[in-house]
Amino acid sequence: MRIKEFVKTFRPYKVLEGNYRIWLDKNENPFDLPLEIKEEIFKELKKVPFNRYPHITSMPLREAIAEFYGVSPKNVAVGNGGDELLNYLTRIFDGNYVVTTPPTFAMYNFYARLNGIPVVEVPLKRGFIIDGEKIAEKAQKACVVFIASPNNPTGNVQPREEILKVLDTGVPVVIDEAYAEFSEKSYIDLLDEYENLIILRTFSKAFGLAGIRAGYLLASESVVDALYRIKSPFSLNVLTMTAARVMLNHYDLVKQNINYIVKERERIYQEFKEYTYPSEANFLLMKLDAYEFLLERGIVVRKLDGLLKGHIRVTVGKKEENDELIKALKEFVENVGDI
Ligand SMILES: *Cc1c(COP(=O)(O)O)cnc(C)c1O
């Protein structure tokens, strides 16, 4: 047996071993579902036959999402996490390469590479703003452009005028709005006008369901139709679909958690203004090389490299967790200093 050399160019997933107290590394929601909502999910699950395959095109969940946004289920696709959809989105369009805008979410690059599609990078400009003109130029021969707004790991929303420059090329544009619930801004309103716009969303962040693996996209019928021709048939299981559907009926609680997180985000930002970029997501990008320092104190954050070497990305946690983070970072700034 011989594993392809190509496969070995991908790094194995690293699991951090150790007794860490505070996890602020994956942009998870700090709040688990309350027991009442879990009970509601379990009650729904009791009615579901486990011996049967789930709905092959996940229609019950697509209908619930469509109703939530006031669109047709034909404009909704769901995946086993947004990640599954990103994988397909690199493959369904004609063109020579994928366009990404570093520093940004690593999975666009990952799936393009996995699928043998070259990547053309158009780096963000000052203030981590996309270069609409440059992307539009590169878009001519691209199969798809990936833009995250709010961007991960920088936290900023991309300006409308730059987004429009890219959309006007007619090339498929994925606007990854995984964190849009934490900002006031979304580009969903542009779906009516632009057939080439695909909005990606997830249940993993604001909805607090990272463990159930559910993501979705809103797009034109032709995109959704193409995706369901190549999608793994039963990748969304009944447990996932039930939990996501129940949670859509509890947006009041989601909103409450969003408000809490946004308030905490601004509290942390105010404490470290000098070292922190403004954010419209549930995390903050900090120009502090404090990864090891925090780890020694039981706090796990994301260490960044490449264009953002020497920076950390810190997820906003519960108040008590953020208090500890603030205390540790103050100590870092006073004793070790910034880079
Ligand atoms: C978290 C995240 C996603 C989706 O993650 P899933 O858990 O796979 O749904 C998509 N894009 C960005 C930028 C993210 O940070």
Side-chain angles (χ1 to χ4, degrees), residues 5-233:
E5 281 310 311
F6 168 71
V7 173
K8 294 180 194 163
T9 65
F10 289 81
R11 266 197 297 236
Y13 292 118
K14 253 208 317 256
V15 180
L16 198 55
E17 310 279 359
N19 257 337
Y20 302 107
R21 295 171 300 132
I22 299 177
W23 294 85
L24 304 175
D25 62 328
K26 296 192 193 71
N27 296 345
E28 292 156 329
N29 198 306
F31 299 106
D32 190 6
L33 302 191
L35 219 49
E36 307 89 75
I37 297 182
K38 282 193 176 173
E39 294 290 358
E40 193 185 332
I41 293 167
F42 299 152
K43 203 172 131 216
E44 286 298 309
L45 277 173
K46 280 183 187 168
K47 302 180 210 159
V48 176
F50 284 11
N51 60 319
R52 301 294 178 188
Y53 281 102
H55 191 290
I56 193 159
T57 62
S58 310
M59 206 34 110
L61 178 55
R62 288 166 65 195
E63 281 169 355
I65 294 166
E67 198 189 316
F68 188 84
Y69 287 104
V71 299
S72 158
K74 288 181 180 166
N75 297 116
V76 181
V78 292
N80 190 308
D83 270 19
E84 187 193 10
L85 298 171
L86 287 174
N87 188 0
Y88 302 133
L89 288 169
T90 62
R91 293 196 266 180
I92 57 177
F93 304 107
D94 254 334
N96 299 345
Y97 48 77
V98 156
V99 175
T100 65
T101 62
T104 190
F105 193 44
M107 297 315 283
Y108 314 138
N109 220 302
F110 176 92
Y111 286 118
R113 207 151 75 77
L114 179 62
N115 294 318
I117 305 159
V119 176
V120 169
E121 299 187 330
V122 181
L124 298 175
K125 297 190 293 187
R126 265 171 68 91
F128 303 124
I129 303 297
I130 55 166
D131 187 339
E133 269 149 49
K134 190 78 173 283
I135 298 170
E137 194 184 295
K138 298 288 179 193
Q140 305 306 328
K141 290 179 186 158
C143 41
V144 61
V145 176
F146 288 104
I147 296 168
S149 181
N151 187 39
N152 176 7
T154 59
N156 60 300
V157 166
Q158 295 302 342
R160 206 172 182 88
E161 62 270 23
E162 296 299 310
I163 294 281
L164 290 176
K165 285 179 196 166
V166 184
L167 280 171
D168 282 331
T169 63
V171 82
V173 180
V174 177
I175 302 189
D176 184 342
E177 293 193 347
Y179 301 97
E181 292 94 342
F182 299 102
S183 91
E184 304 276 84
K185 299 172 200 107
S186 164
Y187 291 112
I188 286 181
D189 64 292
L190 293 174
L191 280 168
D192 286 337
E193 213 179 319
Y194 290 94
E195 237 210 318
N196 54 324
L197 171 60
I198 298 145
I199 300 277
L200 185 78
R201 293 270 183 135
T202 180
F203 285 95
S204 298
K205 311 284 164 51
F207 277 86
L209 295 176
I212 74 152
R213 311 304 302 127
Y216 56 98
L217 61 77
L218 307 176
S220 57
E221 275 187 49
S222 56
V223 170
V224 173
D225 174 81
L227 199 139
Y228 274 104
R229 287 169 191 257
I230 62 155
K231 190 179 162 296
S232 292

